[in-house]
Amino acid sequence: RTEALSLRDHLMEGPKTKGEDGEVEPSPYDGIQKNAVLHEAKCFNDKMISARTCSEVLTKIMYLIIQGEEFSSSEISKVFFSVTKLFNSRDVHLRRMVYLSLKNLPADPEEAMMVVNCLAKDMTGKTDLYRANAIRVLAKILHPSMIGSFERFMKQAIIDKDPYVVSAALLAGNHMLKSGADSIKRWSSEVQEALNNPSPMVQLHALLLLFKLKQYDPLAISKLASNLARAPPKGPLAQVLLIRCIASVIRRQQTPDRELFKFLQDLLHDKSFTVMYEAARTICSLPNINRTQVISAIGVLQEFLSSPVPAQRFAAVRTLSKVVLRFPIAVAPCSVDLEHLINDTNRNVATIAITTLLRTGVEQNVDRLMKSISGFMSDTSDEFKVVLVDAIKSLCLKFKHRHKTLLSFLSASLREEGGKEYKRAIMNAILEIIEQIPEAKETGLEQFCEFIEDCEFPKLSMKILDLLGSEGPKTKQPGKYIRFIFNRVILETASVRSAAVTALARFGAYVPELSRPVRVLLSRCASDDDDEVRDRAVLFLHLLTDGKKAAEFFKSEAPANPRTLVTSLEAYLKTSTDIPFDLSKHLVEVKEEVKEEKTDQKGDGKVQSRAAPTPSVPTVTVADEYKALLAKVPYFSTLGPLFKSSAAVELTEQETEYVVTCVKHVYKEHVVLQFNVTNNMEDQLLENISVEIESDDPDWAEEKVIAEDTISYNSSGVCYVCISRPIDGFKKENFNSGQIASTLKFFVKDVENGQVQGVATEDEYQLEDLEVVESDFMQAVTSVRTMDFKRQWESLGSAQAVKKFKLPEVDDLQSAVDGVMNVLGMGACETMNEVPENARSHGVFMAGKFLTGGRALPVLCKAGFMLDQKHGVTLKVAIRCPDNNVANLLASSVR
């Protein structure tokens, strides 16, 4: 493989520069002609084969193929059959070129089968070099239906003593598995044995193939990860692959498995940097961990910050820049090391270091950080500048008293050179700062006025002009913005001039003192070259003759939102009516779907990991799996949009013969119970599997049962039970099902030696009770900042539900916080769910959306915790909601 890659790189090289005098040495294969090479290929048919000559001709053919030269099918066939005659040569180097050529020649599959016998002979020969290459070529040209005849030889190669042969067989299995060869799945025992091979290369390839064989069986992957965690492979690359497999297992769990998580922590002290970094990165990216669990991983990353290797510094600082979004307090101890990287020779490292510092910095260091950033902004790419701008915006919203310093920096950056996306990012940052900090409004508007004087992007100018027209009249001195706006009418394009005319008219409508001078300016626009500008000027001149009429015009709303209007027009065009379109008659109501709130990585840490594009276990998020499974059942599409899917609840022990978990999917009027069933009985085949439920509450009526057809050994299946519930009026709406008894029912057949025997007999298996509670109707919201929470809290009025609780059995504040959040199903603002060490009291702001009456109502909660060593934890919760009945219900659910 190494020689093949070297040959490919050599063939793809262009002219080389030789020496300092600029002399150019052309490539030896530059300018060769296909016809000439095909003529030279006749040497393959000579009686006395010249290994050197044939190797050179094969190299030229490979060069033409790599360069994209097109060969006709007859030319390919002729070359292919000529190459097969070179098997008569005993020259080692020529034989390897033959293998490489056979792999890369786009020959017809039926013609390629002609060399199978030659390859089979080499594969069973005594020369290990020939055996390995023959296996690789066979994997490329062999049809999946013929793999069974070579299965015995492949299995023998997997347990061979030569690591090169073993690696070739494992990679061949990996390639054939992609082509749909099911027989590869019978190689599990041999692949498992190959894991004990001392060669790191073999361990990596064996582990890769083993994971792919079991990738669609979560239970098998979990068992494999647990076994390998006890006796891990020694090769660093294999350990990296194992870490990623363990990460995929932990991400499916509510809380990390102790044994697997301890294994990841042990690898933080490995000798290999690759293994240490991968373990640290994986721990920091797990969604179901807290701040204390990432401290050890952050410590390892902190050590890499002072590494002399640039790649290690970049990897560490980039990972910390992601961790700081979830655990800023945990990253704070790295501030000193991050400050040393500000002057790093690698601009990427320095940029990310400053971004991380901005998110962990304190108010006293703001001025110093701004000076450090301004030093190298001109040498940094726009991509990293956008990241810095976002960090500066967050810092400004965090330390609002420093908004003048930060706005000045953003304003200076806005006037410097840069691309459209970079300028857009700065503009959006200033807009958000103006919105969140009222005292910064006039400063921001003045900076925008200066920017549009030299702005080269019309769309940005139009957006700023719209902002000036809507916010400028509300300032203390609105007249100072008129000059900047009218300059756009004189100097800009037609689209910008139109926006400027509208902005001027807003000032005339909202500020009576400016109405007369604005009309004078608009009268000059009435003779503009562009129709749009003239029409707007004439319209606004007419409206400004009556100030009230102009104000009403700008305050009036559109008769329908664009989405509804487009849908209505499309529906109207599909009808064959002569009646003109009328909004009062033809407006179509568009139902808004209840969308799941996106998990913010600043909240409780539930973020989706992104696997690197390297050989790894394919990871699919749990939410995607649920949606895909539900989409396969047409009946569920009639229930309306899905509101929430809960975490899986175990209804059996993991070691039992049948493992069952339940996921609750909440819809507007229904709850769908998804039962995941795994068959651990090797001698049984399950058929017609379903779950029978029984609830004491008559409101929870079973509406439909969907069974699974068959579940074989070590496989999983899914069956569903759909429950309806009343939603007419809050008092009739039921949010707690009480205990639901469930029984797994199925027909079982005996299996012997892989063959199904006898007649199916009916059987059942008792499962643990389950319960639908209030938190299942709550969708956690973690994107609310503390300041936004306070504003929203006041907007919900003074009506609230308040309750106090004594928790004598709880002696840990963090456990109390986690328990209350789990009971309510709400998300914490920012990082308030993390309790500082040695704290005796703690407060948490929580937000969520509660489904009632088919609507998702916003819910806010303030929870205060006090720890007493004698009496445990004292809890006080205050809940506000537009519907006070919901607030009382949720307060009562804390029990």
Side-chain angles (χ1 to χ4, degrees):
R1 178 179 176 83
T2 303
E3 290 190 8
L5 291 174
S6 300
L7 174 63
R8 184 198 64 183
D9 295 339
H10 175 65
L11 292 178
M12 295 189 70
E13 286 179 353
K16 298 180 180 180
T17 302
K18 182 179 180 181
E20 299 180 356
D21 54 356
E23 293 184 2
V24 176
E25 179 186 356
S27 169
Y29 303 104
D30 190 21
I32 60 175
Q33 299 295 323
K34 180 182 71 171
N35 293 333
V37 174
L38 292 177
H39 181 74
E40 293 177 10
K42 293 182 179 180
C43 66
F44 299 160
N45 302 318
D46 295 344
K47 293 183 178 180
M48 299 296 294
I49 296 175
S50 172
R52 183 179 181 85
T53 303
C54 293
S55 297
E56 290 180 356
V57 175
L58 286 174
T59 303
K60 292 179 181 179
I61 294 174
M62 291 299 99
Y63 174 81
L64 292 173
I65 292 175
I66 292 173
Q67 294 298 320
E69 186 73 34
E70 294 185 0
F71 289 79
S72 65
S73 57
S74 60
E75 291 172 341
I76 288 292
S77 300
K78 187 176 181 180
V79 171
F80 182 82
F81 285 113
S82 298
V83 171
T84 59
K85 297 180 180 180
L86 299 179
F87 274 101
N88 296 323
S89 175
R90 296 184 179 181
D91 185 84
V92 176
H93 296 289
L94 177 59
R95 180 64 65 89
R96 298 180 74 175
M97 283 299 301
V98 170
Y99 291 132
L100 186 61
S101 303
L102 292 176
K103 281 185 65 178
N104 289 278
L105 280 172
D108 184 83
E110 295 182 359
E111 295 176 353
M113 299 302 295
M114 301 295 292
V115 297
V116 168
N117 291 332
C118 297
L119 294 173
K121 182 179 178 181
D122 285 350
M123 188 177 69
T124 56
K126 297 181 180 181
T127 306
D128 292 336
L129 185 62
Y130 291 176
R131 293 170 59 199
N133 283 305
I135 290 172
R136 291 175 184 271
V137 179
L138 267 177
K140 182 73 180 295
I141 67 175
L142 203 60
H143 192 272
S145 62
M146 296 186 63
I147 293 177
S149 57
F150 291 90
E151 183 177 354
R152 181 170 62 88
F153 301 106
M154 288 292 187
K155 288 184 177 181
Q156 289 177 351
I158 292 176
I159 58 176
D160 196 85
K161 294 181 180 179
D162 187 270
Y164 191 62
V165 175
V166 179
S167 180
L170 293 170
L171 289 177
N174 186 31
H175 179 80
M176 290 186 287
L177 189 63
K178 294 179 181 178
S179 62
D182 294 335
S183 61
I184 309 299
K185 297 179 181 179
R186 297 195 293 265
W187 298 7
S188 296
S189 58
E190 287 78 10
V191 177
Q192 190 81 38
E193 185 177 346
L195 280 175
N196 301 322
N197 194 296
S199 172
M201 175 180 63
V202 173
Q203 292 178 2
L204 172 64
H205 295 156
L207 201 55
L208 179 62
L209 180 56
L210 199 59
F211 285 157
K212 291 196 173 183
L213 289 174
K214 302 183 178 183
Q215 62 182 344
Y216 298 112
D217 190 347
L219 180 62
I221 286 288
S222 179
K223 290 181 179 179
L224 178 62
S226 300
N227 293 335
L228 291 178
R230 300 186 189 99
K234 296 181 180 180
L237 294 179
Q239 288 182 345
V240 168
L241 191 58
L242 176 58
I243 290 172
R244 297 187 178 183
C245 170
I246 291 175
S248 68
V249 174
I250 293 178
R251 289 190 181 98
R252 295 175 179 272
Q253 302 171 343
Q254 288 184 329
T255 56
D257 182 88
R258 290 185 178 181
E259 182 181 356
L260 296 180
F261 191 76
K262 184 179 182 301
F263 173 73
L264 293 179
Q265 289 182 318
D266 292 341
L267 290 181
L268 294 174
H269 308 290
D270 196 85
K271 296 180 181 179
S272 170
F273 159 76
T274 306
V275 176
M276 293 174 64
Y277 171 71
E278 186 65 26
R281 186 191 66 83
T282 299
I283 291 175
C284 292
S285 65
L286 292 176
N288 44 7
I289 59 173
N290 53 44
R291 177 166 55 88
T292 57
Q293 292 174 309
V294 301
I295 291 178
S296 57
I298 292 176
V300 172
L301 295 173
Q302 186 177 4
E303 294 178 5
F304 292 153
L305 292 177
S306 55
S307 171
V309 182
Q312 294 184 7
R313 297 198 303 272
F314 178 78
V317 74
R318 187 181 182 190
T319 304
L320 286 174
S321 68
K322 298 177 181 178
V323 179
V324 74
L325 298 174
R326 299 172 57 194
F327 308 107
I329 299 176
V331 182
C334 304
S335 298
V336 177
D337 298 281
L338 289 170
E339 287 185 12
H340 292 160
L341 295 179
I342 292 177
N343 299 320
D344 195 277
T345 55
N346 189 311
R347 290 295 183 186
N348 296 337
V349 173
T351 304
I352 300 178
I354 288 182
T355 305
T356 309
L357 277 172
L358 288 173
R359 289 168 176 157
T360 60
V362 294
E363 190 170 0
Q364 293 78 6
N365 297 335
V366 170
D367 294 334
R368 181 163 54 85
L369 287 175
M370 290 299 102
K371 291 180 182 178
S372 303
I373 295 173
S374 58
F376 64 92
M377 280 289 282
S378 58
D379 300 331
T380 308
S381 64
D382 283 0
E383 181 181 0
F384 285 105
K385 287 180 182 178
V386 170
V387 177
L388 280 175
V389 168
D390 183 66
I392 293 171
K393 177 197 68 178
S394 302
L395 189 67
C396 186
L397 297 177
K398 183 178 180 182
F399 304 122
K400 297 186 176 181
H401 297 296
R402 296 282 184 175
H403 71 269
K404 290 184 178 179
T405 302
L406 298 172
L407 276 177
S408 299
F409 178 84
L410 292 176
S411 175
S413 302
L414 197 59
R415 294 191 297 271
E416 294 176 355
E417 293 185 0
K420 182 179 179 180
E421 294 303 320
Y422 171 51
K423 297 297 179 69
R424 188 197 303 275
I426 298 177
M427 185 184 69
N428 291 335
I430 296 177
L431 284 174
E432 187 168 349
I433 292 172
I434 292 174
E435 181 182 351
Q436 299 291 335
I437 308 175
E439 54 268 27
K441 179 182 291 186
E442 293 198 22
T443 305
L445 293 179
E446 290 174 3
Q447 293 172 353
F448 280 143
C449 288
E450 296 177 6
F451 171 60
I452 60 175
E453 289 291 319
D454 299 315
C455 181
E456 55 183 324
F457 305 109
K459 289 187 177 180
L460 300 186
S461 296
M462 293 168 63
K463 187 171 183 179
I464 291 175
L465 288 169
D466 180 69
L467 175 69
L468 291 173
S470 59
E471 299 295 334
K474 303 175 185 177
T475 59
K476 296 178 180 179
Q477 298 178 350
K480 63 183 179 181
Y481 303 109
I482 298 295
R483 175 174 62 88
F484 297 99
I485 297 176
F486 188 70
N487 286 344
R488 301 305 99 215
V489 176
I490 302 173
L491 303 172
E492 290 289 354
T493 59
S495 58
V496 178
R497 296 202 303 273
S498 300
V501 167
T502 303
L504 283 174
R506 287 178 182 271
F507 279 87
Y510 293 136
V511 185
E513 298 82 3
L514 298 177
S515 177
R516 186 169 177 274
V518 166
R519 289 202 304 270
V520 173
L521 297 177
L522 289 177
S523 62
R524 299 181 184 179
C525 303
S527 58
D528 193 273
D529 296 335
D530 185 74
D531 295 342
E532 178 72 16
V533 178
R534 289 197 307 271
D535 292 346
R536 291 194 184 197
V538 172
L539 171 65
F540 295 138
L541 280 171
H542 171 71
L543 292 174
L544 287 176
T545 55
D546 185 353
K548 293 183 180 180
K549 186 185 297 184
E552 291 176 0
F553 174 82
F554 286 113
K555 290 180 180 178
S556 62
E557 298 181 355
N561 64 58
R563 181 183 175 189
T564 303
L565 188 59
V566 169
T567 306
S568 303
L569 289 171
E570 290 176 349
Y572 173 78
L573 292 174
K574 292 179 181 179
T575 61
S576 56
T577 178
D578 296 332
I579 303 175
F581 181 80
D582 188 347
L583 284 173
S584 60
K585 298 179 180 179
H586 299 102
L587 200 62
V588 178
E589 182 181 356
V590 180
K591 295 182 179 180
E592 293 290 339
E593 294 187 357
V594 180
K595 296 182 179 180
E596 293 187 7
E597 196 72 25
K598 292 183 179 179
T599 304
D600 194 306
Q601 53 191 2
K602 295 181 181 179
D604 56 2
K606 295 182 179 179
V607 295
Q608 296 179 354
S609 64
R610 296 182 179 180
T614 52
S616 177
V617 181
T619 56
V620 180
T621 62
V622 177
D624 292 338
E625 289 182 352
Y626 292 158
K627 290 179 180 178
L629 287 172
L630 294 171
K632 294 179 180 179
V633 184
Y635 177 79
F636 294 149
S637 62
T638 64
L639 305 182
L642 175 66
F643 177 73
K644 177 186 176 182
S645 296
S646 66
V649 179
E650 294 184 357
L651 301 183
T652 62
E653 298 292 337
Q654 288 291 335
E655 295 76 16
T656 56
E657 53 266 47
Y658 312 114
V659 179
V660 182
T661 60
C662 178
V663 179
K664 292 168 279 188
H665 304 288
V666 178
Y667 292 82
K668 179 180 177 180
E669 301 180 12
H670 299 79
V671 175
V672 175
L673 302 179
Q674 172 186 321
F675 295 93
N676 306 312
V677 185
T678 302
N679 178 16
N680 289 336
M681 300 296 291
E682 188 172 0
D683 57 347
Q684 290 185 1
L685 173 68
L686 307 184
E687 295 181 345
N688 194 20
I689 306 97
S690 62
V691 175
E692 182 181 273
I693 65 170
E694 183 178 353
S695 176
D696 296 333
D697 193 334
D699 288 342
W700 294 79
E702 179 183 295
E703 186 171 294
K704 189 173 184 63
V705 176
I706 299 175
E708 178 66 271
D709 295 334
T710 60
I711 303 178
S712 58
Y713 165 63
N714 211 16
S715 299
S716 299
V718 180
C719 49
Y720 301 92
V721 176
C722 181
I723 305 174
S724 63
R725 63 185 187 92
I727 65 166
D728 297 332
F730 184 84
K731 293 183 178 179
K732 294 183 179 180
E733 192 168 8
N734 199 334
F735 300 98
N736 194 308
S737 65
Q739 296 296 322
I740 298 178
S742 52
T743 305
L744 181 68
K745 295 200 169 186
F746 52 89
F747 288 84
V748 61
K749 287 184 178 180
D750 294 332
V751 178
E752 294 182 4
N753 299 324
Q755 301 295 324
V756 180
Q757 307 290 335
V759 181
T761 56
E762 187 175 3
D763 200 354
E764 64 180 36
Y765 191 82
Q766 191 64 39
L767 307 176
E768 294 184 9
D769 292 349
L770 59 96
E771 185 178 10
V772 179
V773 294
E774 292 84 352
S775 61
D776 293 321
F777 299 88
M778 179 69 74
Q779 190 180 83
V781 177
T782 58
S783 58
V784 180
R785 295 189 178 94
T786 305
M787 295 304 298
D788 297 334
F789 179 91
K790 293 179 180 178
R791 187 173 65 254
Q792 294 178 22
W793 179 267
E794 296 299 331
S795 67
L796 290 178
S798 58
Q800 60 186 22
V802 181
K803 278 200 174 185
K804 289 185 178 181
F805 304 89
K806 291 285 188 180
L807 309 175
E809 69 281 358
V810 181
D811 57 358
D812 177 27
L813 282 180
Q814 187 64 60
S815 300
V817 171
D818 295 340
V820 171
M821 290 182 62
N822 184 52
V823 169
L824 293 176
M826 304 176 73
C829 296
E830 297 178 342
T831 56
M832 297 186 74
N833 60 316
E834 300 176 16
V835 181
E837 295 181 7
N838 302 321
R840 311 301 299 175
S841 63
H842 188 65
V844 182
F845 293 167
M846 291 177 278
K849 291 185 178 180
F850 190 79
L851 181 65
T852 174
R855 300 177 300 155
L857 298 180
V859 181
L860 300 179
C861 173
K862 289 183 178 181
F865 302 83
M866 292 285 293
L867 177 61
D868 188 344
Q869 293 182 350
K870 294 183 179 180
H871 304 95
V873 176
T874 301
L875 166 66
K876 180 181 179 181
V877 295
I879 301 176
R880 289 186 181 181
C881 179
D883 188 342
N884 203 43
N885 292 322
V886 174
N888 293 324
L889 172 71
L890 294 174
S892 302
S893 69
V894 182
R895 50 186 179 268

